[in-house]
Structure formats: structure tokens, C-alpha cells
Amino acid sequence: MGIFGRGKRLVASKPESADLATLLLQGEEMIGQLAQAHMSWGLGTADRWGLDQRTGIITWTFPDKIATAAAQIIGSYNPSAASWLWAWANESILPEMSRDSRAVRAWAETHGQTVLTQPKVETDDDMAATLSALAVRITRATGFYRGSGTASIPIISFGDVTLATNDGKTSTFKVAIE
């Protein structure tokens, strides 16, 4: 399923063809559209969620179903410390789980955007949202989730979502980026 219905797609220009301000605006729009699209299966309303780094799967549990997707950790935001830590710089994150984070760093190195190459960034809520939007845009993520946490809030991208209902039926929710 696309952003606004089956078969529709979100169109985003290549990151190489836009400046950072344009990418930010596109990333913010993408996050809004992804949130709207994924709300149709219940993103943001689950009873609980979890991420298994060994399998790379994020799981959302609902009373009537379970939703799962392959996931990547982009970074983590710690409001009390006013800091952002990219996943590639976080030793507690397995390398396989920081692939998208490393892609952002590689893009930033190629395009001279040093703020995106620093392992840890002093930040507030707005800057954390900015970094998230840029990462979503640069990686062309098809799903975005800001986890819950008291000390550190994980920022996660994810792919196609498999929905398994309690009666054994399964379906897949897809968002395509062109």
C-alpha cells in the first residue's frame, strides 16, 4: 500500500540534487506522510513495542494483532542530557542495526555536512526532530518510529510491516518511495 492508498507512491527527489534546507523540508513532509499512512494499521497505538537487535525486527503488540517490520536504529535522543547520539557511534547498538545511520554519515561526508558526521550532537527537541527528518529523507525510509524512553529515546526507521491477527490471518503493509 502506498502513502494514501493501495498503489500510490511517495515521490522524493534524489538527495544529491537538493540542498540541506530542501532535504529537511522534504524529510519533515515524509515523516508526516509516513505517520499518516502507518496510522491505518495502528502505529502509535500499540499496547507495547520492542526491538530485537539480533533479528533486526521491531514488534508492536495490540490486543487483536501483532505488527512486525525489519528495522534500523538511526540514533537516540536524550532530552535530559540534551544530546543526540548517532547509532553508528553507539557501542550498545549492533553494527547491522546502524546501517541507515552509517548511510547518513557517508552522505554527509560526501556533501560536506559536518554536523551529520559528529558522533554526538548537543541538541534539543527541535534539533532531534531535524536530525530525524534529515535521516528519513537521506535514507528514503518507508517507516519512522520515535520510541519511548525516559533517559534515551530511540529513533527507528523500518520497512514493510507484516500484520498478524489473532485469528491467524496475515497481511503486509508497504509504502513505496520513488
Side-chain angles (χ1 to χ4, degrees):
M1 181 178 281
I3 289 292
F4 298 109
R6 207 166 284 285
K8 293 189 179 178
R9 299 175 187 275
L10 175 66
V11 178
S13 64
K14 294 183 179 181
E16 297 79 27
S17 66
D19 63 22
L20 202 57
T22 300
L23 289 179
L24 173 58
L25 291 174
Q26 291 172 344
E28 289 170 342
E29 183 176 332
M30 285 176 71
I31 286 175
Q33 291 178 345
L34 291 170
Q36 180 180 358
H38 286 288
M39 281 190 314
S40 69
W41 58 262
L43 182 66
T45 65
D47 292 340
R48 64 182 181 278
W49 73 277
L51 178 63
D52 185 335
Q53 284 197 60
R54 291 167 292 141
T55 63
I57 301 294
I58 188 168
T59 302
W60 295 274
T61 305
F62 301 85
D64 60 337
K65 66 185 174 235
I66 293 177
T68 58
Q72 285 285 298
I73 302 171
I74 299 294
S76 55
Y77 168 54
N78 185 328
S80 61
S83 67
W84 170 279
L85 181 62
W86 289 102
W88 57 263
N90 188 334
E91 293 179 2
S92 69
I93 296 175
L94 296 176
E96 303 83 42
M97 293 299 299
S98 64
R99 186 179 58 250
D100 282 1
S101 178
R102 289 190 313 274
V104 172
R105 181 180 64 182
W107 180 90
E109 288 170 346
T110 300
H111 293 87
Q113 300 296 334
T114 56
V115 69
L116 300 177
T117 65
Q118 303 304 309
K120 194 171 189 177
V121 179
E122 211 175 287
T123 189
D124 58 14
D125 287 340
D126 289 338
M127 178 58 96
T130 294
L131 294 172
S132 298
L134 287 169
V136 164
R137 176 61 190 88
I138 290 166
T139 64
R140 302 169 60 87
T142 59
F144 171 79
Y145 187 67
R146 180 181 164 137
S148 55
T150 54
S152 185
I153 300 167
I155 307 300
I156 301 164
S157 61
F158 61 90
D160 297 349
V161 178
T162 299
L163 302 165
T165 60
N166 292 345
D167 63 4
K169 295 178 184 172
T170 62
S171 62
T172 302
F173 183 89
K174 296 181 180 189
V175 175
I177 305 283
E178 291 182 346

